[in-house]
Amino acid sequence: NAGVMQNPRHLVRRRGQEARLRCSPMKGHSHVYWYRQLPEEGLKFMVYLQKENIIDESGMPKERFSAEFPKEGPSILRIQQVVRGDSAAYFCASSPDTKDGYTFGSGTRLTVV
Amino acid sequence: GDSVTQMEGPVTLSEEAFLTINCTYTATGYPSLFWYVQYPGEGLQLLLKATKADDKGSNKGFEATYRKETTSFHLEKGSVQVSDSAVYFCALSEAGRRALTFGSGTRLQVQP
């Protein structure tokens, strides 16, 4: 039973490029969450999605960031026109319908050069 | 808004020493409380949780008690091992919300 799968593990982008981060939830999990971890800091909530719906995006920056969780396929976190300050580890988590049982992926480490 | 405050690290202990990592929180309602552990290069793993006042979460020798009167959820272990070296995060989730609010993490280093 594979866990939460994130890819790529490492991503390097030049300033102004787009970054696409993918997250495949655990089998049977229909809820996906994205968090960002800056160096030496805790994780900050970004967005919570169910299939085809954004439920809570209170932590998403207003510009350049978007997320989706289509009916088929992985959840995607998209960052347009990346800047150096976007360099961070981005973690995805998933859960079943019950609130308990958050499972995190191993993260995507984005470096903007 | 909600917030979680943890003691700053690193915490350096010798093997078999007693561990306490302090965690206090601010929340408007009655949150659920969690401890997560992060090993180098990996994602977070749920260590233990408590969902109401006076609940004690426990796992792998670690314990934490939900203290509503002091708004605290301190992590303890009676005898640490080198393999416990990691970063520990305290977190909460408000009733009705699935988002977690994390503390800044405490790095634990256990020396043989």
Side-chain angles (χ1 to χ4, degrees), chain A residues 9 31 33 35 37 40-45 48 56 58 91 95-102 104-106 109, chain B residues 32 34 36 38 41-46 49 51 89 93-105 107:
Chain A
R9 287 295 301 271
H31 303 260
Y33 316 82
Y35 286 79
Q37 183 180 31
E40 304 301 320
E41 292 188 14
L43 279 70
K44 298 285 192 274
F45 169 75
Y48 158 39
D56 181 352
S58 57
F91 289 96
S95 71
D97 282 340
T98 58
K99 189 177 178 179
D100 297 335
Y102 244 65
F104 279 88
S106 298
R109 280 148 185 86
Chain B
S32 295
F34 306 84
Y36 281 83
Q38 185 179 32
E42 298 185 12
L44 276 69
Q45 300 174 25
L46 178 64
K49 66 182 181 186
T51 58
F89 292 94
S93 68
E94 279 277 22
R97 284 198 78 207
R98 289 177 178 255
L100 290 170
T101 299
F102 283 88
S104 57
R107 183 176 301 277

Side-chain angles (χ1 to χ4, degrees), chain A residues 34-107:
Chain A
W34 285 94
Y35 286 79
R36 176 165 61 177
Q37 183 180 31
L38 295 171
E40 304 301 320
E41 292 188 14
L43 279 70
K44 298 285 192 274
F45 169 75
M46 299 180 76
V47 63
Y48 158 39
L49 310 101
Q50 277 185 279
K51 283 287 187 182
E52 301 184 276
N53 290 305
I54 295 175
I55 308 301
D56 181 352
E57 56 180 349
S58 57
M60 282 284 267
K62 294 289 184 283
E63 297 178 347
R64 303 188 297 109
F65 284 73
S66 62
E68 62 178 13
F69 189 17
K71 188 176 179 181
E72 303 289 339
S75 175
I76 306 286
L77 179 68
R78 183 180 177 209
I79 311 172
Q80 295 179 289
Q81 299 175 320
V82 295
V83 301
R84 288 240 171 92
D86 297 332
S87 296
Y90 291 83
F91 289 96
C92 169
S94 71
S95 71
D97 282 340
T98 58
K99 189 177 178 179
D100 297 335
Y102 244 65
T103 301
F104 279 88
S106 298

